[in-house]
Amino acid sequence: MVPLSFAGHVFMALPEAALYWPAQRALLVADLHFEKASWYARFGQFLPPHDSHATLDVIETLVARTGAQAVWCLGDSFHDADGAARLDDGARRRLFSLTEKMDWVWITGNHDVAVTHMPGGRRVAQAQVEGIWLRHEAEANESAPEISGHFHPKLRLSLRGRHVSRRCFVGSATKLILPALGALTGGLDAGHGEIRKAVGPDAAALVPVADRLLRFPLS
């Protein structure tokens, strides 16, 4: 875990594409997209059907590592409106176990806004904690600090003739966008115009490695 300062608070950036807030004992994750593979299977495109379990593996590991007592999911936790209903019995039991023992909050995203029944936890459109807005998609005109997801940012570089792509955070003075944690989620280049428009000037891609946070300015 690598310290990341934002809006006067100290967070810990995790290379697994999550953020831990020690003062709140809370794990922040974004864009889990549970049951993405089963959604594609309905249209004849077959992907490895274990994405929900793989994503749960990561969450369970991070909860154990950090000692988190709360989990805040920043939207698009399910890939579509029927995603929660398609969970197999094993994945459903694992999710219920997590949501029963923790303060689990589902923040609504554009993919899962129509899900009727979440597997435990509580559901909100957005939340404000210690002056920081937690929401799915960054609001460009929001002046207060906010943490969001939605864009699945990835840093893409060319190093010694090799193309490297890695999930990253994108941060500015008042915006922090989390990478997607879901097993089958793709990514948008951190320097893409839509991301730059959302975070404003002086933004950087942030990559936690070993004991430090690498910063790549996007301007």
Side-chain angles (χ1 to χ4, degrees), residues 153 155 168-173 175-177 190-191 195-196 199-207 214-219:
L155 179 66
C168 67
F169 300 82
V170 173
S172 64
K175 309 286 186 186
L176 183 60
I177 297 177
I195 292 180
R196 293 164 67 98
V199 297
D202 303 321
L206 309 172
V207 181
L214 302 183
R215 180 180 295 267
F216 299 86
L218 299 180
S219 58

Side-chain angles (χ1 to χ4, degrees), residues 22-105:
Q24 300 293 324
R25 300 198 70 178
L27 183 69
L28 282 67
V29 296
D31 299 281
L32 306 176
H33 285 266
F34 286 127
E35 293 305 306
K36 182 174 183 176
S38 62
W39 184 84
Y40 274 98
R42 295 164 66 183
F43 301 97
Q45 185 174 347
F46 297 100
L47 301 173
H50 312 298
D51 58 305
S52 293
H53 283 279
T55 300
L56 283 167
D57 287 344
V58 176
I59 295 173
E60 289 170 347
T61 296
L62 295 180
V63 166
R65 184 193 306 168
T66 61
Q69 295 183 348
V71 174
W72 296 329
C73 302
L74 305 185
D76 285 2
S77 299
F78 289 89
H79 190 66
D80 64 288
D82 299 321
R86 292 198 308 277
L87 287 168
D88 65 38
D89 289 341
R92 186 173 289 106
R93 284 194 299 269
R94 293 173 72 182
L95 256 180
F96 271 122
S97 176
L98 286 165
T99 57
E100 285 178 357
K101 70 182 181 183
M102 309 188 74
D103 179 15
W104 191 286
V105 182

Side-chain angles (χ1 to χ4, degrees), residues 142-197:
E142 175 64 72
S143 59
E146 67 175 10
I147 301 176
S148 60
H150 182 64
F151 289 105
H152 307 196
K154 279 191 172 184
L155 179 66
R156 294 185 170 91
L157 298 172
S158 181
L159 299 173
R160 298 177 182 175
R162 293 193 308 120
H163 294 290
V164 178
S165 177
R166 184 162 182 169
R167 290 180 295 183
C168 67
F169 300 82
V170 173
S172 64
T174 59
K175 309 286 186 186
L176 183 60
I177 297 177
L178 269 60
L181 187 140
L184 289 180
T185 49
L188 184 65
D189 188 278
H192 190 280
E194 288 301 310
I195 292 180
R196 293 164 67 98
K197 183 168 64 175

